[in-house]
Amino acid sequence: MELLRPSHPPVTMATDGCSGFSPAASSQDGFHLNSPVAADVFRGDKVYVAVGKSVEKAVSLFHWTFRRFRGREICILHVHQPSPLIPTLLGKLPATQANPDVVSAYRREEKDQMNKLLLDYMSLCSRSKVNASFVTTENEQVCKGIMDLINEYGVQKLVMGAVPETWMKVTKNSSKSSYAAKNAPPFCQIWFVNKGKLLYTKEPSESYDVMPPSIHQDSNTLRSQSLHYPGMERGLQQVYHCPRSRSISPHRSLVKTSSDSGCSSSTEHEEEALLYKQLEEVNMEAEASRNEAFQEFLKRKRLEAQASEAISKVKAYESAYSQELELRKAAEETLNGARREHEQLLERKEMAAKELRKAMRNIAILENQVQEANRRREESTQELKLIQTSITTLKIEKQTIQRQRFEAAKWLDRWKIREPAGSISCTDESTVARPPEFSYLDLETATCGFSESFKIGYEMYGSSVYKGEMSNRTVVIKKLHPDNLEAQSEFQQEVRVVGKLDHKHILRLIGTCHEAYALVYEYMPGSLESYLSNKSNSFSWKTRIRIISEIANTLLFLHTSRPEEIIHGNLTPKNILLDSELSCKLCNFRFSPLVNEETFRCRSFRLYEEGSGPFSFTDPVVLQTGNLTAKSDIYSFGMIILWLLTGNQSHGLSNEVRKAVSSSKLTSILDASAGEWPSFVVKRLADLGLRCCESNTRDRPVVSPVLVKELEQLSVLEDRRIPPFFLCPILKEIMYDPQLAADGFTYEGEALCGWFKNGRETSPMTNLKLSHLDLTPNHSLRVAIQDWLCNP
């Protein structure tokens, strides 16, 4: 390998006549490196600059080149290095493993980035007013790509970047500058620049001329090639194939003449001048021939590259044509197969059409048979209905006969003991229609002998609850223990009171059985507690309000009953049953005469009242005193309202709701499964529930017809058009507590107090300062709102 010499200013040699030839020129055919003719012939006009992907690093390289080669044309030399890894959704993959479409798209993106980079370099040259062009190639190794471009384009002058190290270290490492210094052609001169400063220069090899190897040959080699330039060969022969003595004879003759005589004749001077002139002409012809041969060489190289490219295209076209023929043959075979399949499908279609017509005929026959069977079934159904009606009539007659027999036996017993008739007329029970009486055998038949599989629960005082089938309907049979005195009293009381209750939201008593101390009720699918405990069931807020209004309607019916009010005494979600349309019915009454002081002190009664969990719907006053009143039902009703509102059964629910109302965070504790509650409805229900749960019974409200109507209208409030003067200007909701302010407008009292608490003293409507902050209740508007809510 040749050693690199540090850069130094070029040596300028004085040329006079043929002094540019060295004495050794006669010993070889070719040029000498130090001859001015050779330097001029091989000094190209273009200066090539090798650049990479960083425009910032190339700026200093370009500036140095512009200063060093002022006025020269610049050719940008760039090697595109395709990335071996392709970014995909699974990460970076090798190009051989990635999807070909993804690889081609990424290669196009790399080409676009390279073109943009070259445009930036061209723009830099344009701003510096320098004529510039560029050549590119693609190679996986940048250093080898640079060498390929140097050999392809015959680069004689190259400027490229280098690391700031001494030339001895550069030759030892594997950088691009080291590779270029080692493998650059002998005719290429390379300047290595770093940060605008020249580090070192790789001069052309002393053993070769400056011309590229393909042109730097002796005259015999030039004559043997296919390049035929007669003038060029003649110039080379005249200059470089002259005898040795003739090559140096001018010098010697001049010296001898000067040394011998000190003067020369005019004839000798003229001959020498003519000889010098001929020599200069020969040199000029040789220079022109060499330049022309070099250009022809470059042209031949380009033509060879184009020819190889055309050959590769022809091969590609031939390969594509052969592939197209194969594809055409495959397509023809596929088409023939498709035609055969089509013919087979047509045959199958004809067979299927025949089978379809046959099936249609069978369907028509079957339809006629089905119609005949339906007609017979309807006739049988009508006959069965007549039979069932007859059976029901017979059962009713049987029950009537049994009731009459029971009454006759009772009258007979009274007549035997000669009971006064006045004691019977003191009550109105004789005028009240008693429920039908069932026999013990009827109940056994309905429950398969009171089987455990028919048992669905237990009640107080040891009573058992069964599910049975009587008269083609599902019933619930509550069988009390006959040896329990409390059960007997409850049986008599329940028959006397519940038997005469006729309300759509009270579970209807169907009949009784004195033999088994059993009560027969209509069957309901489930209770309110079981429905809400099941996460798959979701009650909307409208359904919950409707259930609350139905409970209030039932309590109003019970508490206003005459001659005496009826107290439920056991109002819990478990005792509120729901039908298939989610309409509620109350059951399992507990009557105040049954809860005496002795019963209250019983431990089993208190455990039954308090329940097993921390949440209780029982009035705390009842747990303390044992006295059942109408206000006890009101407390349970309030707890049910809060439970339906929040879906929470934690201990201290009323206190939790009261804190949420005082801190205006009521929406945070609502049951989200009920949907989006209207704010006015939430406030009204929360206020009613908290009032019903007051610890002092005198502070609890009374269920009135106005309250029941208001609750009934809450569920349909959203569908009604609200008068605009019923809405609070601040909250845009129906006012529950309308208050008149100093500006003459009516606001919700709570909203206006919050307005004043924030330090405002202006009107929310006019934004003017109020004369005073006193509020006056607007009773007339409140009455109008209540009337509108109660009367749809």
Side-chain angles (χ1 to χ4, degrees), residues 147-370:
M147 292 299 102
D148 293 342
L149 289 175
I150 292 175
N151 292 321
E152 181 180 356
Y153 291 93
V155 178
Q156 302 179 37
K157 294 181 177 59
L158 176 65
V159 179
M160 64 183 298
V163 295
E165 299 178 353
T166 62
W167 63 275
M168 287 299 293
K169 293 183 179 180
V170 170
T171 58
K172 295 179 181 180
N173 60 24
S174 60
S175 64
K176 300 179 186 66
S177 57
S178 174
Y179 187 87
K182 291 178 182 179
N183 299 282
F187 59 85
C188 182
Q189 184 175 5
I190 305 177
W191 288 268
F192 296 96
V193 180
N194 178 265
K195 296 182 180 181
K197 294 182 180 180
L198 180 65
L199 295 181
Y200 52 90
T201 304
K202 186 266 181 188
E203 297 290 346
S205 177
E206 295 180 357
S207 60
Y208 290 86
D209 292 341
V210 183
M211 290 293 289
S214 60
I215 300 179
H216 175 212
Q217 298 173 350
D218 56 12
S219 58
N220 295 326
T221 306
L222 288 173
R223 280 193 297 271
S224 65
Q225 292 180 350
S226 61
L227 296 175
H228 303 285
Y229 299 103
M232 178 181 178
E233 294 179 0
R234 184 173 60 253
L236 291 174
Q237 291 174 0
Q238 290 177 358
V239 179
Y240 302 111
H241 292 277
C242 58
R244 182 182 300 181
S245 60
R246 185 170 180 82
S247 175
I248 60 174
S249 61
H251 296 276
R252 293 182 179 180
S253 61
L254 286 174
V255 174
K256 288 180 180 180
T257 306
S258 299
S259 60
D260 293 339
S261 59
C263 64
S264 62
S265 64
S266 59
T267 304
E268 293 176 351
H269 283 291
E270 290 177 359
E271 291 179 356
E272 291 178 357
L274 181 60
L275 182 61
Y276 288 145
K277 185 175 181 181
Q278 291 177 355
L279 182 61
E280 289 178 359
E281 290 177 356
V282 170
N283 289 337
M284 292 176 64
E285 284 185 13
E287 179 183 0
S289 299
R290 287 192 182 91
N291 289 334
E292 186 178 356
F294 180 64
Q295 295 297 329
E296 289 296 330
F297 170 77
L298 295 180
K299 183 177 180 181
R300 191 187 71 177
K301 285 291 184 181
R302 287 193 295 270
L303 291 176
E304 289 177 354
Q306 293 176 0
S308 62
E309 183 178 359
I311 291 172
S312 61
K313 287 184 179 179
V314 168
K315 291 181 179 179
Y317 291 152
E318 291 177 352
S319 175
Y321 178 71
S322 61
Q323 291 179 359
E324 185 177 357
L325 289 178
E326 293 177 357
L327 292 175
R328 182 175 296 178
K329 290 180 180 179
E332 290 178 355
E333 294 177 356
T334 305
L335 180 59
N336 294 331
R339 287 176 180 173
R340 289 192 294 270
E341 291 179 358
H342 181 64
E343 293 175 356
Q344 294 176 359
L345 288 175
L346 289 177
E347 294 177 357
R348 293 178 184 175
K349 180 180 178 182
E350 292 178 358
M351 295 177 61
K354 292 179 181 179
E355 293 179 356
L356 179 62
R357 287 192 294 269
K358 184 178 180 181
M360 293 297 292
R361 287 194 299 270
N362 295 334
I363 288 173
I365 296 172
L366 291 175
E367 285 181 352
N368 294 331
Q369 295 177 358
V370 168

Side-chain angles (χ1 to χ4, degrees), residues 73-94:
E73 181 181 356
I74 300 298
C75 183
I76 301 171
L77 189 146
H78 177 71
V79 178
H80 172 62
Q81 184 181 18
S83 176
L85 298 178
I86 306 300
T88 63
L89 297 176
L90 301 177
K92 291 187 176 181
L93 298 177

Side-chain angles (χ1 to χ4, degrees), residues 468-752:
E469 295 289 333
M470 298 181 67
S471 301
N472 293 329
R473 62 186 299 182
T474 305
V475 296
V476 175
I477 301 173
K478 183 168 73 171
K479 183 175 178 294
L480 290 83
H481 200 282
D483 298 333
N484 194 328
L485 297 178
E486 289 83 358
Q488 297 178 13
S489 302
E490 181 181 1
F491 176 80
Q492 297 294 338
Q493 189 80 349
E494 196 160 353
V495 171
R496 183 181 67 84
V497 177
V498 181
K500 68 178 181 180
L501 294 179
D502 185 14
H503 193 271
K504 61 181 180 180
H505 297 304
I506 295 179
L507 191 67
R508 187 166 63 90
L509 179 64
I510 297 177
T512 62
C513 179
H514 286 74
E515 298 180 46
Y517 284 98
L519 301 170
V520 181
Y521 287 96
E522 61 178 329
Y523 175 76
M524 303 294 286
S527 64
L528 180 61
E529 182 181 37
S530 63
Y531 267 84
L532 286 183
S533 61
N534 189 357
K535 299 299 182 180
S536 60
N537 298 326
S538 59
F539 284 174
S540 65
W541 63 270
K542 289 186 177 181
T543 304
R544 302 187 186 204
I545 294 175
R546 181 173 55 77
I547 293 174
I548 292 172
S549 64
E550 291 174 355
I551 297 173
N553 191 351
T554 309
L555 291 179
L556 176 63
F557 171 77
L558 294 175
H559 293 175
T560 56
S561 179
R562 294 295 178 266
E564 60 180 0
E565 64 178 5
I566 300 175
I567 301 171
H568 188 284
N570 193 18
L571 188 61
T572 62
K574 183 179 180 181
N575 296 326
I576 300 174
L577 304 180
L578 299 177
D579 59 11
S580 58
E581 297 179 356
L582 300 181
S583 179
C584 72
K585 291 193 177 185
L586 275 60
C587 65
N588 292 335
F589 286 75
R590 183 177 300 116
F591 307 100
S592 55
L594 296 177
V595 187
N596 51 30
E597 184 176 359
E598 183 179 356
T599 304
F600 174 74
R601 295 177 184 273
C602 181
R603 183 175 180 273
S604 61
F605 174 81
R606 296 186 63 85
L607 290 176
Y608 180 83
E609 288 292 330
E610 295 176 1
S612 58
F615 189 76
S616 176
F617 293 90
T618 307
D619 183 10
V621 178
V622 176
L623 296 177
Q624 293 174 4
T625 63
N627 296 326
L628 276 175
T629 61
K631 294 299 182 72
S632 303
D633 289 345
I634 297 299
Y635 178 87
S636 301
F637 177 59
M639 293 301 296
I640 291 174
I641 292 175
L642 298 182
W643 178 55
L644 291 174
L645 193 64
T646 62
N648 187 6
Q649 293 190 21
S650 61
H651 184 68
L653 176 60
S654 59
N655 294 331
E656 183 179 352
V657 175
R658 189 171 282 107
K659 290 180 182 179
V661 171
S662 61
S663 60
S664 300
K665 296 180 179 179
L666 186 58
T667 56
S668 62
I669 63 172
L670 297 178
D671 190 358
S673 64
E676 186 176 355
W677 291 80
S679 57
F680 172 77
V681 173
V682 171
K683 291 181 181 179
R684 182 69 182 104
L685 292 180
D687 178 72
L688 178 60
L690 292 176
R691 287 172 57 201
C692 292
C693 296
E694 290 288 346
S695 58
N696 192 346
T697 57
R698 290 177 297 180
D699 297 334
R700 300 173 188 172
V702 178
V703 179
S704 62
V706 176
L707 177 61
V708 173
K709 288 185 178 181
E710 181 182 355
L711 292 175
E712 290 175 352
Q713 294 303 315
L714 282 179
S715 59
V716 296
L717 182 63
E718 232 181 16
D719 303 330
R720 299 174 59 189
R721 184 178 177 276
I722 304 173
F725 51 88
F726 287 177
L727 300 176
C728 174
I730 299 176
L731 302 178
K732 305 300 181 183
E733 298 173 353
I734 298 177
M735 290 180 285
Y736 175 71
D737 182 24
Q739 297 287 335
L740 186 65
D743 58 355
F745 293 94
T746 302
Y747 306 89
E748 178 67 31
E750 182 180 355
L752 196 58

